[in-house]
Amino acid sequence: MPERVIILIGWLSGYLLAIIAKPLRVAVLFNMAEVLDKTPKEIIKCCRAYLCHFPIILLEILMAPQRLTKEKVRQWTVEGEEHLQKALDLGRGAIIYAPHMGNFFYYYWYLSQRYPCLTVATGGSSELRPLYLLFQGMGCQGMDYDNTPPQKLLRTLSYHLRSNGVVFLLGDFWRPNFPLANFFGKASRSPGGAASLALKQQVPVVLLYAGGKKA
């Protein structure tokens, strides 16, 4: 399917979602108004864009096996990848720390083609699990946070880092037992695993933002 068609279907689906899913729309508007210093009109525009981009990302993920090939790796230009390579040159592994936004699925696939990667996914959601399994079938290795004993999870990640591997972590999912943190000026609970691993094993942390299929 041509990319223009995917984008058109995604935008139309997003507009439909904005109309029929009122509770979701209200929740997104409320959250955006809480953290963004924008006018009500600008908040509505941001909400509409958010709801329109969600179906586009979902369509891209579902079509990933057809769209992502090893030939694609040679076509991508990733800005700042040299920082990851410098971190790995130290021989202690590296932690990639990314926000839960953008094309992080695509970029984890890309990194998995070039480096020994391991990630942690929240596999307790029945809606998301098929997407994780899809990327696992494409060579993206991960551990299920919800169904893996904490000690086993920590041991596996530590061993992977000692083997000079790359651990890919998303930094803004939530659990009630996570440590308190300041997030957009609001009290929240954020995972502390990246900081704990980095301090314990003296592993560099490389920040990543996946803004598109080329960056």
Side-chain angles (χ1 to χ4, degrees):
M1 185 181 296
E3 189 166 329
R4 290 181 180 179
V5 176
I6 295 175
I7 294 174
L8 177 61
I9 293 173
W11 274 100
L12 292 175
S13 301
Y15 270 103
L16 181 62
L17 184 66
I19 294 171
I20 64 176
K22 184 178 179 180
L24 175 62
R25 184 178 73 249
V26 170
V28 173
L29 283 169
F30 176 81
N31 290 335
M32 287 186 168
E34 281 281 290
V35 300
L36 299 179
D37 184 19
K38 294 182 178 293
T39 65
K41 186 176 181 180
E42 290 173 328
I43 294 293
I44 292 173
K45 185 177 179 180
C46 288
C47 176
R48 188 182 300 119
Y50 173 86
L51 294 174
C52 287
H53 277 97
F54 178 74
I56 293 173
I57 293 173
L58 184 60
L59 282 169
E60 286 186 335
I61 291 173
L62 292 174
M63 299 184 70
Q66 291 77 38
R67 296 172 62 82
L68 299 181
T69 62
K70 291 190 180 297
E71 288 72 24
K72 284 281 186 182
V73 175
R74 292 190 289 270
Q75 298 174 16
W76 287 18
T77 301
V78 179
E79 181 181 342
E81 188 176 350
E82 67 273 12
H83 299 299
L84 174 59
Q85 189 56 59
K86 287 179 181 178
L88 292 174
D89 288 343
L90 299 174
R92 299 194 297 266
I95 297 171
I96 290 182
Y97 199 65
H100 205 160
M101 61 186 295
N103 285 332
F104 58 89
F105 271 105
Y106 274 34
Y107 272 95
Y108 184 56
W109 172 84
Y110 168 83
L111 292 166
S112 295
Q113 308 309 304
R114 296 173 60 82
Y115 308 96
C117 288
L118 184 63
T119 190
V120 179
T122 54
S125 169
S126 58
E127 295 85 0
L128 291 176
R129 190 169 185 82
L131 302 181
Y132 294 148
L133 293 176
L134 184 151
F135 272 79
Q136 187 180 52
M138 296 170 63
C140 301
Q141 298 302 311
M143 301 184 70
D144 185 348
Y145 178 86
D146 295 305
N147 294 297
T148 304
Q151 289 186 343
K152 180 180 179 181
L153 184 70
L154 185 59
R155 282 198 305 268
T156 304
L157 293 176
S158 298
Y159 177 79
H160 188 72
L161 289 170
R162 286 197 298 270
S163 302
N164 207 30
V166 174
V167 170
F168 184 96
L169 298 176
L170 298 175
D172 52 353
F173 68 93
W174 183 91
R175 288 293 186 276
N177 59 326
F178 284 168
L180 279 172
N182 188 292
F183 195 64
F184 287 100
K186 304 289 181 179
S188 181
R189 293 192 177 273
S190 296
S196 298
L197 283 169
L199 291 170
K200 183 178 180 180
Q201 299 191 210
Q202 295 298 294
V203 177
V205 177
V206 181
L207 303 181
L208 176 141
Y209 168 67
K213 288 179 287 183
K214 287 189 177 182

